[in-house]
Amino acid sequence: MQINQAILHIVDPATATAYYSEQVLDLSEAGINQYIEQLCTRFLRRDNQNGTLPADNPILQLCQQLSDFVPVSQQLAQRFFNFVLPQSDIVSGDLLIAQLTENERDYVAVLKLNQRQDFIHYLNYTEQAVANQIVLNQAVLPAVGQAITEGVIIDQASGQYFLADKAYQIDGEKRPYVASDFLIVTAEPTLTSSVKQVRQAVNTVAEKYNQDPVETTANLKQAVYESLNETNTLDVDYVSDQVFKENPAAKQEFDQQVTQAQVPRQKADLTHKFEAKVSKQKFKLDNGIELIVPVDIYQNRDLIEFVNNPDGTISVLLKNINTIQNKF
């Protein structure tokens, strides 16, 4: 990643007043370029909300005029602060705006750096002596490892955006604001949120149609894993086909529920990490035994089998084992 230029517009938390910089940051100053690069890199690697801004979106149009970087950044900051500053519940923060290049594509980052309190040392000279003091600083910027909770990075050419949003109490209701009040779009949910909504819909429908909850959950995880493994995408239609393939009525009701919940029919894994989260089936038995089985061998009856006994209990058979390791 290359940071081409960046600017910081700040807020005085005591007066809720914005101060707009008239000069870009000096990226040659020790650590400044690295700090901004790490913030942007971590932001892009998160499980963000994402979508594409329409060509007539005012924020995208401003981002495409960055030949006049400073005045355009001021306009972006004004639009942001004009909404944020009157909202007393929104945490005070400065606004970092950067133009960067990643994989030969140009992006604009608009990241709110929430201010926090922290103690610093202060060297105070008096007439009598040097007095080293501890001072509470009211406007410390987030550390590199701290997640940015509100912000967006926008592809200047395509309008694709990567969004982090946080809900606050606004006009009597708790809601996120970056998408609706700054970008003026309805953002798609994150992949994590999409999987959670799919899981909730599967559980609800499976219970209604008396499907075995253990088998249903295992089939759901298997379908999610296969979808991500093959296409790097959560394909809701594929999940529906696999989980409810023998119950058309349940499949139809599941499709209705995910549609009502506005779950995208296909959701890409932008982090390329989610597949690993669903790569293992985890079973907890009522006798205290816990099993972790890789998804790709769960249905291999030559290796593992779940047997329903006549007395209603279940036996788990592990087969063709050559060695056993006890890891401590």
Side-chain angles (χ1 to χ4, degrees):
M1 177 180 291
Q2 177 180 324
I3 306 299
N4 300 316
Q5 48 191 343
I7 193 167
L8 185 68
H9 302 293
I10 69 172
V11 169
D12 177 5
T15 61
T17 302
Y19 295 91
Y20 301 99
S21 178
E22 297 178 346
Q23 292 185 343
V24 297
L25 294 170
D26 185 354
L27 299 178
S28 65
E29 286 284 340
I32 302 299
N33 186 84
Q34 183 181 12
Y35 175 71
I36 298 172
E37 180 182 342
Q38 290 180 341
L39 287 179
C40 293
T41 298
R42 287 177 59 86
F43 190 92
L44 285 173
R45 290 178 179 173
R46 292 172 53 181
D47 179 23
N48 292 306
Q49 296 174 263
N50 68 294
T52 302
L53 298 175
D56 61 351
N57 182 276
I59 299 300
L60 176 60
Q61 291 178 343
L62 283 173
C63 290
Q64 293 172 337
Q65 300 171 14
L66 282 187
S67 55
D68 297 322
F69 182 74
V70 172
V72 169
S73 77
Q74 292 173 339
Q75 291 181 60
L76 288 169
Q78 286 170 358
R79 293 180 69 101
F80 191 89
F81 286 138
N82 284 346
F83 177 80
V84 169
L85 293 182
Q87 308 295 332
S88 59
D89 286 336
I90 297 180
V91 175
S92 179
D94 301 330
L95 202 65
L96 174 68
I97 299 178
Q99 198 278 325
L100 58 103
T101 301
E102 171 77 350
N103 295 328
E104 299 183 352
R105 298 198 66 84
D106 293 328
Y107 296 89
V108 177
V110 182
L111 306 180
K112 178 167 171 273
L113 306 184
N114 289 339
Q115 298 166 349
R116 58 188 176 89
Q117 296 180 343
D118 212 342
F119 290 95
I120 61 173
H121 69 245
Y122 178 71
L123 179 60
N124 186 25
Y125 289 96
T126 68
E127 294 182 359
Q128 290 78 25
V130 172
N132 295 330
Q133 299 176 343
I134 296 176
V135 177
L136 180 62
N137 191 310
Q138 303 283 350
V140 178
L141 296 179
V144 169
Q146 184 177 340
I148 302 297
T149 58
E150 298 128 87
V152 63
I153 294 183
I154 302 170
D155 186 313
Q156 289 180 256
S158 70
Q160 184 181 21
Y161 65 86
F162 307 90
L163 170 74
D165 217 344
K166 185 175 180 179
Y168 292 95
Q169 198 72 24
I170 299 171
D171 298 331
E173 62 174 334
K174 191 170 185 178
R175 61 178 177 84
Y177 68 92
V178 179
S180 59
D181 299 284
F182 177 65
L183 290 181
I184 318 175
V185 296
T186 301
E188 290 186 356
T190 63
L191 177 60
T192 299
S193 177
S194 297
V195 171
K196 180 180 179 181
Q197 290 174 315
V198 167
R199 185 178 68 243
Q200 290 174 342
V202 165
N203 291 340
T204 300
V205 173
E207 182 178 3
K208 179 178 178 180
Y209 286 88
N210 297 315
Q211 290 195 188
D212 180 10
V214 174
E215 182 179 357
T216 299
T217 300
N219 290 339
L220 170 61
K221 183 172 282 191
Q222 180 88 23
V224 171
Y225 171 79
E226 290 174 351
S227 178
L228 292 170
N229 183 51
E230 294 172 7
T231 65
N232 197 49
T233 300
L234 172 65
D235 187 331
V236 174
D237 292 327
Y238 178 79
V239 171
S240 177
D241 290 339
Q242 297 302 307
V243 176
F244 299 111
K245 56 186 173 184
E246 297 179 358
N247 193 333
K251 180 179 183 299
Q252 182 177 8
E253 184 159 341
F254 167 78
D255 291 339
Q256 291 173 348
Q257 287 201 18
V258 293
T259 298
Q260 291 173 357
Q262 298 182 329
V263 179
R265 307 307 293 191
Q266 293 190 334
K267 184 67 179 179
D269 179 11
L270 301 176
T271 68
H272 300 276
K273 296 178 180 178
F274 206 90
E275 178 188 338
K277 296 182 180 180
V278 293
S279 64
K280 292 180 174 60
Q281 300 276 15
K282 298 181 180 180
F283 301 94
K284 187 172 184 179
L285 313 185
D286 60 3
N287 59 9
I289 295 175
E290 297 184 10
L291 297 175
I292 299 178
V293 183
V295 167
D296 51 2
I297 68 171
Y298 163 68
Q299 294 183 341
N300 187 339
R301 295 296 176 262
D302 293 331
L303 299 177
I304 184 170
E305 186 175 358
F306 294 81
V307 179
N308 292 309
N309 300 318
D311 62 358
T313 61
I314 300 173
S315 296
V316 181
L317 303 181
L318 303 179
K319 308 175 184 179
N320 298 317
I321 298 173
N322 294 319
T323 60
I324 296 178
Q325 293 181 343
N326 188 351
K327 293 186 177 181
F328 181 72

